[in-house]
Amino acid sequence: MIIYSKNIYLENKKISGFLKIEDKKIIDIVETTDEFTKDSLNNYVLNDLKWDKDNEILDYSDFTIIPGFIDNHIHGWGTGSFWFEKSKKSITEMQKNLPSEGVTSFLATTGADTIEEILTQIDEASLIYEAEQNGAEMVGLHLEGPFVSKEYKGMQKEENCILPNIEFMKSFYNRQTSKGLIKLMTMAPELDGAKEVAEFCKDKGIQLSIGHTGSTFDKIKEMKDYGFGGFTHTFSGMRGMHHRELGVVGAALYFDDMYCEFAKQTGLTVKHEAFDIALRVKTSDKIILSTDCCGLAMTDKPWHHYVRKITLIPQENGVMIKHDDGREEILDNSKYENVRDLEMSYIDSVKNVIKHSKVDIFDIMKMASINPAKYINIYDKKGSIDINKDADLLVIDKEFNLIETVVRGSIYN
Amino acid sequence: MIIYSKNIYLENKKISGFLKIEDKKIIDIVETTDEFTKDSLNNYVLNDLKWDKDNEILDYSDFTIIPGFIDNHIHGWGTGSFWFEKSKKSITEMQKNLPSEGVTSFLATTGADTIEEILTQIDEASLIYEAEQNGAEMVGLHLEGPFVSKEYKGMQKEENCILPNIEFMKSFYNRQTSKGLIKLMTMAPELDGAKEVAEFCKDKGIQLSIGHTGSTFDKIKEMKDYGFGGFTHTFSGMRGMHHRELGVVGAALYFDDMYCEFAKQTGLTVKHEAFDIALRVKTSDKIILSTDCCGLAMTDKPWHHYVRKITLIPQENGVMIKHDDGREEILDNSKYENVRDLEMSYIDSVKNVIKHSKVDIFDIMKMASINPAKYINIYDKKGSIDINKDADLLVIDKEFNLIETVVRGSIYN
């Protein structure tokens, strides 16, 4: 496959030119300032580039090509919830529908569940990880807990928020059939046992992230050398900032070598202005966008979402949405279009960032593709448009509407 | 007087050259890249510049010349406390000793006192304002209160924190014998009556500042058009930031057209890291350094300083410092050198900013001279080294030690 566009965004520059894609990868990039008609484009590819004439040429002249989004923090999406269902099938559902929201790879994310439940999730995710994948690529697991603070549990189950335990951590690690499956671990660094677990994770190449935590600023200053490289859903589920005890929020803003992950920018959980302050302090070099979506429609038990002011109640053929104000509706959760709007998608969250903050396409690429890839150490194969990297691409228009998604060299429709 | 230096900092550039000072003002600035000996310097002034040979030539070749600091928030200093003593003499004492700390002009600052007390302070300050001034120039008054929130009173007296009252405001305004005396007014914008008082102040050219306040973010968004241009001692005495209610701290960080004043950077009241976060968000373009010093040694009644953990108790011949840990000492408060170290001076606070944040001399000039002058509308005559501005200058070495202070054309020793 050959892609032509006047607006291809490489990591540090925009070019006009061609991408040659074979075997799921970008194998060549050619820059040209020539203008083409349909015929001259074909001639240029055949005669000037001397690229194989059997290659399909996709002409996206006036559209923009950027790398696909990478969601490091997603429990579920649409018709699949890895968090609630804990099944291989739930991941398959996510893979199927995420490309339509701009996501070409993701970390299936667990929560504070029982040790047995997390082990089950590792088993199911292993089945996906080791086979040929279709749709958005599940590049690994993000274990959000269970070693997190009860006090800052947010929507995690309090009874499952436990102290860091090296034996449990080893059991997670050993349960993986491929040792690279677990890529990210959210933990509260102030808890007893955190050092031992952190050292183990660092040694095994698992990125540590600070989250659901009541840590002090000084504790984070001490623990960042143990492998904690950033903060999970910054502002939420963490000790706030005071000017004499900067807390976790203060540390997140202050340490310029640490990443701040932000859950989807609805403006509801974290006000746009709060995000914007963080963006100005950290710059797009150190911000990571994620969705923290759950696949709400697939809930296995009734639960109240305190920020959104709704209760989700599983039904025989779907899910009931009961608003705090009394309104009720039942959705058939087997159909993606019915449940798609229950949560804000990655691309809509990106559009909100563009709407409320001063950012350009390079900033968006950093926050949505480059930084998430670097954070979980997959930047050698994903996160930017470069030779020998996976052909994970988005074709967008000037309003950041998604025209086409290319996932490992295949057009997603 | 003629000053020569290789490092004269104008607002936007550093030059090597000469400043000609007459009648308290800078009347000429000449740039030269020539190198001089003592003789050739004299010759250059006489023969090339053709400046009057009676002018004293001060050779500060390798030192640095910057504008004097302007302290918009200072209740007292050393042997004088306008806050406690409320007298003309207290201001004279401040004027005498502030140049040795780099301060060449200041706003004598009131607190939340009774209406009668504030009127007395206006009377006493008027006497200074209208006469020939010696030492640091008292360029006006900052009324910090009394229209501030009891809940966020900090060290203000709760019984004197009252709702904004237009009649009281008019009585302050009318009591001035010169209408430009009151330059700055700190008020809580959420209080009933704030709009009417703000409109009056805006009309009279009195700069409004948000302080001692529990305001919400949205209230500030509404009230900023009423003339509130910044925030008094940012972080202290105000509602903190939460990511769903950004409060006063969030508004201070967010609105990039508003100034953030910071009280002296001891690291005690506001941690250096908290200041640094604000500096990175606001940039030096919108930060104002002040001291908020009180002249602690001149206290009129015993009072406990909860941040510093000391109680100050007036004695017949001085002041007793009683530490929370039991230690006691008595200081003779008639001697500046005895009480100088009770509070951190402006220049020492500046040195702390340099030590803990990434700033250059241009940043310091903005925060300590340019911005404070612009905020209180005296930038036409102070705040930078420019022709026709007052000759308020500091001669410093590379470590920001003060070598000499020039106050309106006179060397302060």
Side-chain angles (χ1 to χ4, degrees):
Chain A
M1 181 197 292
I2 291 161
I3 288 177
Y4 167 69
S5 168
K6 290 182 208 156
N7 313 290
I8 297 174
Y9 280 79
L10 310 185
E11 178 169 0
N12 294 313
K13 66 170 179 172
K14 186 181 93 162
I15 63 162
S16 174
F18 297 87
L19 301 177
K20 189 176 183 189
I21 294 163
E22 267 180 32
D23 294 333
K24 304 181 179 180
K25 291 187 184 298
I26 299 161
I27 60 160
D28 207 355
I29 300 173
V30 173
E31 199 172 344
T32 172
T33 51
D34 293 0
E35 295 273 339
F36 301 104
T37 61
K38 191 169 183 296
D39 283 343
S40 69
L41 185 68
N42 283 324
N43 287 336
Y44 187 86
V45 169
L46 287 174
N47 302 325
D48 291 67
L49 297 179
K50 302 193 190 305
W51 282 353
D52 189 341
K53 68 181 165 132
D54 294 335
N55 273 308
E56 184 190 11
I57 302 174
L58 300 171
D59 179 2
Y60 294 120
S61 314
D62 294 322
F63 290 113
T64 294
I65 315 289
I66 59 173
F69 302 142
I70 300 174
D71 194 345
N72 283 348
H73 190 161
I74 181 163
H75 301 280
W77 176 250
T79 50
S81 175
F82 185 57
W83 193 22
F84 298 136
E85 303 173 280
K86 303 176 176 60
S87 61
K88 180 185 164 193
K89 182 175 175 294
S90 63
I91 301 176
T92 311
E93 287 295 310
M94 293 165 73
Q95 293 181 302
K96 199 165 67 185
N97 293 311
L98 283 170
S100 65
E101 314 301 339
V103 176
T104 53
S105 36
F106 65 99
L107 293 181
T109 305
T110 64
D113 290 306
T114 65
I115 301 301
E116 268 316 309
E117 286 172 321
I118 295 171
L119 289 171
T120 300
Q121 286 173 299
I122 293 170
D123 289 342
E124 296 287 306
S126 289
L127 298 173
I128 298 280
Y129 192 66
E130 306 205 331
E132 181 78 6
Q133 294 196 42
N134 292 309
E137 186 174 354
M138 188 208 73
V139 289
L141 283 178
H142 171 184
L143 305 187
E144 189 186 10
F147 309 136
V148 292
S149 162
K150 286 179 195 295
E151 200 189 337
Y152 290 88
K153 64 182 187 296
M155 292 193 198
Q156 303 294 337
K157 298 185 198 85
E158 183 166 336
E159 65 274 23
N160 295 330
C161 298
I162 60 172
L163 291 180
N165 178 309
I166 187 66
E167 294 312 321
F168 291 153
M169 188 65 224
K170 283 181 180 168
S171 73
F172 299 151
Y173 182 77
N174 292 327
R175 189 70 160 243
Q176 316 172 92
T177 45
S178 285
K179 293 312 174 204
L181 175 66
I182 302 171
K183 291 238 169 15
L184 186 58
M185 172 90 195
T186 291
M187 185 160 68
E190 76 278 17
L191 299 178
D192 285 347
K195 275 186 191 171
E196 200 180 359
V197 171
E199 279 170 338
F200 178 85
C201 289
K202 193 177 179 186
D203 180 56
K204 302 300 185 191
I206 299 168
Q207 176 64 59
L208 287 153
S209 199
I210 293 169
H212 291 287
T213 163
S215 184
T216 59
F217 181 86
D218 285 343
K219 172 54 83 173
I220 291 171
K221 196 170 176 179
E222 174 198 349
M223 292 296 285
K224 67 198 278 285
D225 291 337
Y226 283 79
F228 290 93
F231 298 83
T232 299
H233 48 48
T234 306
F235 284 128
S236 297
M238 54 177 63
R239 184 196 285 256
M241 179 171 78
H242 183 272
H243 49 290
R244 287 195 281 278
E245 168 48 66
L246 276 83
V248 187
V249 168
L253 296 176
Y254 183 73
F255 291 115
D256 55 14
D257 55 348
M258 297 179 85
Y259 287 99
C260 286
E261 178 218 280
F262 278 90
K264 58 191 166 301
Q265 288 313 298
T266 60
L268 207 61
T269 313
V270 173
K271 289 263 186 199
H272 296 302
E273 293 87 353
F275 175 81
D276 193 70
I277 288 169
L279 176 62
R280 283 188 261 164
V281 185
K282 303 293 292 188
T283 79
S284 57
D285 287 342
K286 287 294 172 186
I287 291 208
I288 289 174
L289 299 178
S290 74
T291 63
D292 199 2
C293 281
C294 297
L296 289 177
M298 310 313 286
T299 182
D300 52 344
K301 54 179 83 70
W303 71 294
H304 184 243
H305 195 300
Y306 67 85
V307 177
R308 300 168 56 118
K309 299 188 173 41
I310 54 173
T311 305
L312 298 127
I313 305 160
Q315 308 280 298
E316 202 162 330
N317 293 311
V319 62
M320 179 192 279
I321 314 295
K322 203 168 170 175
H323 297 261
D324 284 8
D325 64 12
R327 283 177 298 132
E328 287 181 4
E329 51 182 329
I330 294 177
L331 305 175
D332 172 0
N333 62 4
S334 67
K335 295 199 173 65
Y336 180 60
E337 60 272 25
N338 289 348
V339 298
R340 190 262 181 201
D341 292 331
L342 267 181
E343 298 179 87
M344 181 173 276
S345 72
Y346 204 112
I347 186 124
D348 287 343
S349 171
V350 165
K351 284 183 190 174
N352 258 351
V353 169
I354 293 167
K355 187 172 167 187
H356 294 281
S357 286
K358 214 170 127 185
V359 288
D360 62 19
I361 294 182
F362 288 103
D363 293 316
I364 294 297
M365 278 205 302
K366 285 186 211 167
M367 297 190 286
S369 304
I370 296 172
N371 300 346
K374 286 182 174 172
Y375 196 45
I376 60 169
N377 297 307
I378 59 167
Y379 195 58
D380 56 331
K381 58 176 185 168
K382 295 197 181 277
S384 67
I385 298 178
D386 208 349
I387 291 173
N388 287 328
K389 285 201 175 186
D390 289 351
D392 292 340
L393 307 167
L394 307 183
V395 183
I396 55 170
D397 67 13
K398 287 189 169 49
E399 283 73 42
F400 241 86
N401 295 307
L402 199 54
I403 306 301
E404 207 86 81
T405 305
V406 178
V407 189
R408 280 160 294 136
S410 299
I411 295 272
Y412 174 90
N413 282 309
Chain B
M1 180 195 296
I2 291 163
I3 288 178
Y4 167 68
S5 168
K6 291 183 206 155
N7 312 291
I8 298 174
Y9 279 79
L10 311 185
E11 177 169 0
N12 294 312
K13 67 170 179 174
K14 186 182 95 163
I15 62 163
S16 175
F18 297 86
L19 301 177
K20 189 175 185 190
I21 294 164
E22 267 180 32
D23 295 332
K24 304 181 180 181
K25 290 186 186 296
I26 299 161
I27 61 159
D28 207 354
I29 300 173
V30 173
E31 198 172 345
T32 172
T33 51
D34 292 1
E35 295 272 339
F36 301 105
T37 60
K38 193 169 183 294
D39 284 343
S40 69
L41 185 70
N42 284 324
N43 287 336
Y44 187 87
V45 168
L46 289 174
N47 303 325
D48 291 67
L49 297 179
K50 302 191 188 307
W51 283 354
D52 188 340
K53 68 180 167 140
D54 294 336
N55 273 308
E56 182 190 13
I57 301 173
L58 300 172
D59 180 2
Y60 294 121
S61 315
D62 294 322
F63 290 114
T64 294
I65 315 290
I66 59 173
F69 302 142
I70 300 175
D71 195 346
N72 283 348
H73 190 162
I74 180 163
H75 302 280
W77 176 249
T79 50
S81 175
F82 184 57
W83 193 22
F84 298 135
E85 303 174 279
K86 303 177 176 59
S87 62
K88 180 185 165 195
K89 182 173 175 295
S90 64
I91 300 176
T92 312
E93 288 294 311
M94 292 165 73
Q95 293 180 303
K96 198 166 66 185
N97 292 312
L98 282 171
S100 65
E101 314 301 340
V103 176
T104 52
S105 35
F106 65 99
L107 293 181
T109 306
T110 64
D113 290 306
T114 65
I115 302 300
E116 268 315 308
E117 285 171 320
I118 295 171
L119 289 170
T120 300
Q121 286 172 300
I122 293 169
D123 290 341
E124 296 288 306
S126 289
L127 298 174
I128 298 280
Y129 191 67
E130 305 204 333
E132 181 78 5
Q133 295 195 41
N134 292 309
E137 185 173 354
M138 188 208 72
V139 289
L141 284 178
H142 171 183
L143 305 188
E144 189 187 9
F147 309 136
V148 292
S149 163
K150 287 180 194 294
E151 200 189 337
Y152 290 88
K153 64 182 187 296
M155 292 193 197
Q156 303 294 339
K157 298 185 198 84
E158 183 166 336
E159 66 274 22
N160 294 331
C161 298
I162 60 173
L163 291 181
N165 179 308
I166 187 66
E167 294 313 319
F168 291 153
M169 188 65 225
K170 283 180 180 168
S171 72
F172 299 151
Y173 183 77
N174 292 327
R175 189 72 159 243
Q176 316 171 92
T177 44
S178 285
K179 292 311 175 206
L181 175 67
I182 302 171
K183 290 238 169 17
L184 185 59
M185 172 90 195
T186 291
M187 186 161 66
E190 76 278 17
L191 299 179
D192 285 347
K195 276 185 192 174
E196 201 181 358
V197 172
E199 278 171 339
F200 178 85
C201 289
K202 193 177 178 183
D203 181 56
K204 302 299 185 191
I206 298 168
Q207 176 64 58
L208 287 153
S209 200
I210 293 169
H212 291 286
T213 162
S215 183
T216 60
F217 182 86
D218 285 343
K219 172 53 82 174
I220 291 170
K221 196 170 176 180
E222 175 198 349
M223 291 296 285
K224 67 198 278 284
D225 291 337
Y226 283 78
F228 289 93
F231 298 83
T232 299
H233 48 47
T234 306
F235 284 129
S236 296
M238 54 177 62
R239 184 197 284 255
M241 180 171 78
H242 183 272
H243 49 290
R244 287 195 280 278
E245 167 49 67
L246 276 83
V248 187
V249 169
L253 296 176
Y254 183 73
F255 291 115
D256 54 14
D257 55 349
M258 297 179 85
Y259 286 99
C260 286
E261 178 218 280
F262 279 89
K264 58 192 167 300
Q265 289 312 297
T266 60
L268 207 62
T269 311
V270 172
K271 289 263 184 198
H272 297 302
E273 293 87 353
F275 175 81
D276 193 70
I277 288 169
L279 176 61
R280 283 187 261 165
V281 185
K282 303 292 292 190
T283 80
S284 57
D285 286 342
K286 287 294 172 187
I287 292 210
I288 289 174
L289 299 178
S290 73
T291 63
D292 198 3
C293 280
C294 297
L296 289 178
M298 310 312 286
T299 183
D300 52 345
K301 53 179 85 68
W303 69 295
H304 184 243
H305 196 301
Y306 67 84
V307 177
R308 299 168 56 116
K309 299 188 175 34
I310 54 173
T311 305
L312 298 128
I313 306 161
Q315 309 280 299
E316 202 162 330
N317 292 314
V319 61
M320 178 191 281
I321 314 295
K322 202 169 171 175
H323 297 261
D324 284 8
D325 64 13
R327 282 177 299 132
E328 288 181 4
E329 50 183 329
I330 293 176
L331 304 175
D332 172 0
N333 61 6
S334 67
K335 295 202 171 63
Y336 179 60
E337 59 271 26
N338 288 349
V339 299
R340 190 262 182 202
D341 291 331
L342 267 182
E343 297 179 87
M344 180 173 275
S345 73
Y346 204 111
I347 186 126
D348 287 343
S349 171
V350 165
K351 285 183 189 174
N352 258 351
V353 169
I354 293 167
K355 186 172 168 187
H356 294 279
S357 286
K358 215 170 126 184
V359 289
D360 62 19
I361 294 183
F362 288 103
D363 294 315
I364 295 297
M365 278 204 303
K366 285 186 211 168
M367 297 191 286
S369 305
I370 297 172
N371 300 345
K374 286 183 174 172
Y375 196 44
I376 61 168
N377 296 306
I378 59 167
Y379 194 59
D380 56 330
K381 57 176 184 168
K382 294 197 182 276
S384 66
I385 298 177
D386 207 351
I387 291 174
N388 288 328
K389 285 200 175 186
D390 288 353
D392 292 341
L393 307 168
L394 307 183
V395 182
I396 55 171
D397 67 12
K398 287 189 169 48
E399 283 73 43
F400 242 86
N401 296 308
L402 199 55
I403 305 302
E404 207 86 83
T405 304
V406 179
V407 188
R408 280 160 294 135
S410 298
I411 294 272
Y412 174 90
N413 283 309

